[in-house]
Amino acid sequence: MAAVTGAGFVLWKAGLIFWLLIIGGVGVGIVMSKVLGAILRSTRHSHLAVLSFLLLAPFVTYLVAEMAHVSGVIAVVTLGLGISRLSNRTFPDFIKTQSKTLWDIVSFLLNGLIFILLGLELPLVLKTIDKHLILPYIGYAFLITIVALLIRMIRIFLQRRNLQRGYNAKKRKIAEEALLSIRECLIISWSGMRGIVSLAMAIGLPKFADSGIPFPMRNTIIFIATIVVLITIIGQGLVLPVIVKKNAGA
């Protein structure tokens, strides 16, 4: 964002800050996972207490990381990985089931919230865009969708080849069940729909830069991101069942 707004931007400094944020986030996540693990072990006989701590921990971890000026997102991801390992060893199945149900509800609510925010923001965005630019922007959205889909397909088929190599190696590192067929690769590739993360990143752009000037093309980015999400959800989403049925029956 500093580069876009014309502020002072030095590549090596940005790279250094980036890695410090990542490493710091991992460190905070590890510490918080150890603390949370100790708490969960002492309260594991009360499933309500366990679920409460599991619900609060990511938000607390994010705030701690932000206060330490490191990546809150990476800290929460690291926390999740640590607690996942603890869960597999310690938690009974009914707590795992309840925890998954709880986070499914939270995820559903957050997805709904981001679309509500988008609905409130989009009319204001449309007012700032010239009408003769709307069709070109929709065209850009189609191009972005196609490029994203092609990149995903390339990535999935490369992964298929890597899995096949691991399976054919002398010391077989990959089980046969992990191999992907061409049909499965097509289904996985087509399933890569954009959603809450894309919209959150677009809406999260600041309205004004540090210098006080409006962030350039913010409304354009939000509009194009919205169209990309709609194309993937409506277009890919409606076609996906047909692709699955055809490949399942083949």
Side-chain angles (χ1 to χ4, degrees):
M1 288 191 292
V4 169
T5 55
F9 177 82
V10 181
L11 183 60
W12 72 266
K13 287 184 178 180
L16 178 61
I17 293 173
F18 175 81
W19 284 109
L20 289 175
L21 291 172
I22 297 296
I23 295 171
V26 171
V28 171
I30 291 174
V31 172
M32 293 300 294
S33 67
K34 296 295 183 183
V35 173
L36 180 60
I39 295 173
L40 294 179
R41 289 189 191 95
S42 62
T43 60
R44 65 180 179 273
H45 299 296
S46 173
H47 69 280
L48 290 178
V50 170
L51 293 174
S52 299
F53 283 116
L54 287 175
L55 180 62
L56 293 173
F59 301 99
V60 174
T61 301
Y62 185 88
L63 291 175
V64 170
E66 289 295 310
M67 290 172 63
H69 302 291
V70 296
S71 175
V73 174
I74 297 298
V76 173
V77 171
T78 305
L79 171 75
L81 293 173
I83 298 305
S84 177
R85 295 179 60 186
L86 175 65
S87 171
N88 292 332
R89 297 196 309 264
T90 306
F91 295 165
D93 290 338
F94 78 92
I95 288 186
K96 295 178 186 177
T97 303
Q98 290 180 341
S99 176
K100 182 180 183 303
T101 302
L102 176 65
W103 283 111
D104 285 343
I105 293 172
V106 172
S107 177
F108 179 79
L109 292 174
L110 290 177
N111 273 280
L113 177 62
I114 196 69
F115 280 104
I116 289 173
L117 292 175
L118 179 65
L120 296 173
E121 183 98 0
L122 192 57
L124 301 176
V125 169
L126 286 172
K127 290 180 180 179
T128 64
I129 298 177
D130 293 336
K131 292 183 178 180
H132 70 279
L133 292 176
I134 291 179
L135 284 180
Y137 288 163
I138 293 175
Y140 296 154
F142 271 101
L143 290 176
I144 293 170
T145 303
I146 293 171
V147 171
L149 181 60
L150 290 175
I151 292 174
R152 181 176 175 84
M153 291 182 69
I154 292 170
R155 177 67 185 89
I156 297 298
F157 278 93
L158 287 176
Q159 181 65 17
R160 177 178 181 268
R161 188 176 66 176
N162 292 336
L163 291 172
Q164 192 67 48
R165 285 179 179 177
Y167 178 75
N168 295 332
K170 292 182 179 179
K171 294 182 179 179
R172 185 167 292 176
K173 300 178 181 180
I174 301 296
E176 186 176 0
E177 294 78 12
L179 298 178
L180 296 172
S181 66
I182 293 179
R183 295 189 184 99
E184 289 170 335
C185 288
L186 288 174
I187 293 172
I188 295 172
S189 299
W190 194 261
S191 302
M193 303 166 198
R194 310 277 74 80
I196 184 172
V197 176
S198 303
L199 292 176
M201 291 176 65
I203 296 176
L205 290 173
K207 292 185 177 181
F208 298 94
D210 292 337
S211 58
I213 62 173
F215 191 88
M217 300 189 74
R218 178 181 182 270
N219 291 334
T220 301
I221 294 171
I222 293 175
F223 178 76
I224 293 177
T226 303
I227 299 301
V228 170
V229 170
L230 292 176
I231 291 172
T232 57
I233 290 178
I234 297 175
Q236 289 178 242
L238 293 177
V239 176
L240 181 61
V242 178
I243 294 177
V244 172
K245 288 179 181 178
K246 284 187 176 181
N247 286 281

